[in-house]
Amino acid sequence: VRFILKFQFAVFLIFVGGAWWLAQVFSSDPEIVKVARIYLWIMPLGLGFYGVIIVLNTAFNAQHRSELTLFLSLVRVLLLYIPLAWVGGHLFGIPGIFIGATIGNGIAALLGWYFYLYTRRQEAS
């Protein structure tokens, strides 16, 4: 988990620094470049949290706790990611969509970490 967060933060820094250039690689349309830059400035943070969720889901499956994998995935998508992106979009436009999605992934990662620690304590006792 530490590796994922450190690695994705490094990717985030690279994307922040190279967002203008990277966005122009994909399009010359100024509006698309603008949205792509905003995406590259925000979403890599959320992808780090999503990486944590993937690792935790793998750990839950290895513990034969696939119900936690399903629960965490459903909560992440249906109760956090989509609603927060929707609210963010309504409040702040396109940047709000990305911020809401990132926050949704962050909360889901924290929830998953809590469940992971809980299952570890159960195994220890």
Side-chain angles (χ1 to χ4, degrees), residues 13 17-18 26 40-41 56 105 120:
L13 293 176
F26 292 100
L40 292 169
W41 288 335
L56 292 173
N105 276 341
R120 294 286 307 261

Side-chain angles (χ1 to χ4, degrees), residues 33-115:
V33 170
K34 177 184 170 188
V35 172
R37 280 191 355 233
I38 294 168
Y39 179 90
L40 292 169
W41 288 335
I42 299 169
M43 286 305 290
L45 290 174
L47 296 176
F49 298 134
Y50 183 58
V52 170
I53 294 164
I54 291 170
V55 167
L56 292 173
N57 281 342
T58 302
F60 294 145
N61 286 334
Q63 294 173 335
H64 303 287
R65 300 294 307 264
S66 57
E67 74 279 3
L68 290 177
T69 298
L70 176 62
F71 176 76
L72 183 58
S73 295
L74 290 175
V75 166
R76 182 187 81 84
V77 173
L78 298 177
L79 298 180
L80 296 168
Y81 190 94
I82 292 172
L84 291 174
W86 182 81
V87 169
H90 277 282
L91 294 176
F92 304 107
I94 290 174
I97 294 170
F98 302 145
I99 291 168
T102 297
I103 291 170
N105 276 341
I107 293 170
L110 288 173
L111 182 65
W113 187 250
Y114 169 79
F115 283 125

